[in-house]
Amino acid sequence: MSINTFGHLFRFTTWGESHGPALGATVDGCPPGIALTEEMLQVWLDKRKPGTSKYTTQRREPDQVEILSGVFDGKTTGTPIQLMIRNTDQRSKDYGDISEKFRPGHADITYFQKYGIRDYRGGGRSSARETAARVAAGGVARAALAQLIPDLEIKGYMTQIGPNGIIGARDMAEIDNNPFWVPSAVTAQNWAAYLDDIRKSGSSVGAVVEVVAKGAPAGLGAPIYAKIDTDLASAMMSINAVKGVEIGEGMNAARLTGEENADEIRMGNDGPRYMSNHAGGILGGISTGQDLVVRFAVKPTSSILTSRKTITKAGEDTDLITKGRHDPCVGIRAVPVGEAMMACVILDHLLLHRGQNGETPLGVFGE
Ligand SMILES: Cc1cc2nc3c(=O)[nH]c(=O)nc-3n(C[C@H](O)[C@H](O)[C@H](O)COP(=O)(O)O)c2cc1C
C-alpha cells in the first residue's frame, strides 16, 4: 500500500522523482473562488529552490511552477489543481556509484529492500526535490488562507545549526536578510564561517527549524484523534531528514513544574489573554488563539565526501564516497517546506471545523 497524499479535506498528492522529466502535486479540496496565479506560488518556490547561496546544493533548478488545471480567470474552481515543476538540471552520471552501493544514512537500502527496484538517480523519489511539490501545494493553501484568515502570518526560521544556537536576542526583522533564515545578523555571520568549514571539508551538519503561525483563531483542531498537534507533527515528520518534532515546550516540558508550564489566563478586552505560551498554542488538540509553535530537527545530510563503509546490491562489503551536488545542511531549505506544511494543516483544520460546526465562527468567547 502506497500513500502519497497528505490532508483530510484540503489534500495534496505529490508525484515525481529527482531525475524524471517533472514532479508536482495534485491539490484537491481547495475552496472555489480563491485568487491564484503561478506568480503567487513562485514566491514560495523561489525560497526553497537550490543554488541560491553557496550553503545549498549547487544543482541549478529554476523550479518554475505551472498550473495545469483547477484555475479559471485567475480563481480556483473547486476542481483538482494540478501543479507541475519540470526538472531541468539532472546529472545522472554523478550517481553511477549508488546504483550498486547504498549510501549509509540514506533511503537507498530501505527502498531496495521494500520494492526490489529503485530509481537511484539523485535518490529518485527519496530526493528532497519532492519537497518542491509540497511548497507549491502550500502556496495554494496560503492563497486560500489569505482570504479566509487574513491576519494569519506563517514564518519559519532556523534556531540551531550543528551545536550552534542563536547568539543574543532574536531580531525577527533579520530573518529574510541572510541565507540561513536566522533571526540574528551576528548569528548569521557566525554560522556562515562554521558552515563554510563543514562544506569545504565535504561533511554536513543537522539543524533545528522553528515554524510559527501568528493570528490563527482559537478552535482549530478537535479532541483525541483529530488533534491539530497530531497533524502538525505528522506534517513536519513527513519532511525528508526530520528526526524530531516538538510543539511549544516539547521535550523540555518534562523538566518543568506545573506552575512553570501551565499558561495562566486573564480576561483581555477581546477575549482570553494567556500570560505565556508553553503549550505552543494548542490545548486538548485545539488551538488557543496564541501563536502555533512547532520545531523540528533535521539530521546531517547523509551524502558526504568522506569514505563510508557500506554494502553492494550483491551483498558485498565495500566503501563509498558520495559524489554529486548536495546540501551541506538541509535545514536551510527545509524552512520554506515547514512553512508550507503549516499552511496546509491550518487550512485543512479550518475546512474540518466548517464541516462539523458550519458557519459558527471560530475563536468566539462566551456561551
Ligand atoms: C530541503 C532538503 C534538502 C535535502 N538535500 C539533501 C541532499 O542534498 N543530499 C542528501 O543526501 N539528502 C538530502 N536531504 C535529505 C534526504 O532527502 C533524506 O535524508 C532521505 O530522503 C532519507 O529520508 P530520511 O532522512 O527522512 O530517513 C534533503 C532534505 C531536505 C528537507
Side-chain angles (χ1 to χ4, degrees):
M1 177 67 187
S2 176
I3 298 174
N4 291 288
T5 302
F6 183 83
H8 304 282
L9 294 185
F10 179 81
R11 297 159 68 83
F12 67 84
T13 304
T14 69
W15 52 270
E17 287 86 22
S18 171
H19 282 47
L23 47 83
T26 311
V27 178
D28 206 359
C30 181
I34 302 295
L36 189 69
T37 61
E38 289 173 352
E39 292 70 36
M40 288 164 72
L41 302 181
Q42 198 58 47
V43 175
W44 309 117
L45 281 148
D46 286 351
K47 243 185 120 168
R48 193 221 68 102
K49 75 179 178 191
T52 51
S53 81
K54 62 180 172 178
Y55 305 108
T56 64
T57 171
Q58 294 307 298
R59 181 169 171 171
R60 297 279 162 195
E61 288 287 354
D63 278 357
Q64 206 72 49
V65 65
E66 295 169 49
I67 300 176
L68 302 187
S69 68
V71 177
F72 180 68
D73 270 351
K75 293 218 166 111
T76 58
T77 57
T79 60
I81 302 169
Q82 180 72 322
L83 305 169
M84 185 172 77
I85 299 151
R86 291 176 202 275
N87 290 320
T88 63
D89 187 22
Q90 302 96 318
R91 219 194 269 168
S92 302
K93 67 174 171 38
D94 285 346
Y95 296 91
D97 249 8
I98 66 164
S99 64
E100 296 300 318
K101 302 176 181 181
F102 304 113
R103 282 171 293 178
H106 216 292
D108 306 333
I109 192 163
T110 48
Y111 274 45
F112 182 68
Q113 283 183 298
K114 186 170 179 71
Y115 299 112
I117 179 169
R118 76 196 161 96
D119 178 351
Y120 57 82
R121 302 163 307 159
R125 178 72 177 157
S126 71
S127 161
R129 287 228 26 86
E130 186 273 344
T131 62
R134 300 166 186 240
V135 170
V140 176
R142 288 211 198 225
L145 288 167
Q147 281 181 226
L148 300 170
I149 314 177
D151 292 339
L152 185 76
E153 196 192 315
I154 296 170
K155 198 79 189 158
Y157 42 89
M158 273 171 59
T159 60
Q160 191 176 321
I161 187 167
N164 309 298
I166 295 176
I167 304 161
R170 294 180 182 194
D171 178 358
M172 294 308 187
E174 281 299 324
I175 293 173
D176 293 332
N177 294 340
N178 64 77
F180 305 103
W181 315 112
V182 61
S184 159
V186 56
T187 305
Q189 278 177 5
N190 182 276
W191 288 7
Y194 170 74
L195 196 57
D196 255 337
D197 287 347
I198 295 281
R199 189 177 59 84
K200 284 178 190 153
S201 70
S203 188
S204 65
V205 279
V208 177
V209 172
E210 188 165 279
V211 184
V212 175
K214 284 184 186 301
L220 294 172
I224 316 292
Y225 298 116
K227 291 164 72 174
I228 192 167
D229 29 4
T230 307
D231 283 348
L232 283 171
S234 162
M236 301 307 167
M237 191 54 100
S238 74
I239 300 171
N240 315 36
V242 171
K243 292 311 252 184
V245 181
E246 296 185 330
I247 310 273
E249 285 291 343
M251 295 291 174
N252 191 52
R255 296 171 191 266
L256 303 180
T257 62
E259 292 82 355
E260 287 166 332
N261 184 64
D263 302 312
E264 292 185 277
I265 315 170
R266 281 279 179 252
M267 197 59 206
N269 291 336
D270 47 7
R273 183 171 55 82
Y274 294 85
M275 298 165 78
S276 53
N277 189 12
H278 298 286
I282 303 169
L283 293 171
I286 302 172
S287 62
T288 61
Q290 293 175 278
D291 292 357
L292 296 172
V293 184
V294 185
R295 258 182 315 283
F296 59 86
V298 290
K299 70 190 192 186
T301 323
S302 51
S303 303
I304 48 176
L305 286 172
T306 317
S307 178
R308 310 303 294 157
K309 292 182 178 46
T310 188
I311 57 171
T312 64
K313 270 166 70 178
E316 291 151 351
D317 287 349
T318 184
D319 294 323
L320 176 67
I321 293 176
T322 307
K323 300 194 199 93
R325 298 159 293 175
H326 298 281
D327 290 280
C329 175
V330 308
I332 300 171
R333 293 173 58 232
V335 169
V337 185
E339 292 178 338
M341 295 307 285
M342 173 75 98
C344 291
V345 170
I346 293 177
L347 177 60
D348 197 22
H349 276 272
L350 181 63
L351 300 183
L352 285 166
H353 176 83
R354 282 182 174 183
Q356 186 182 20
N357 296 25
E359 291 308 311
T360 310
L362 276 156
V364 173
F365 185 75
E367 294 179 30

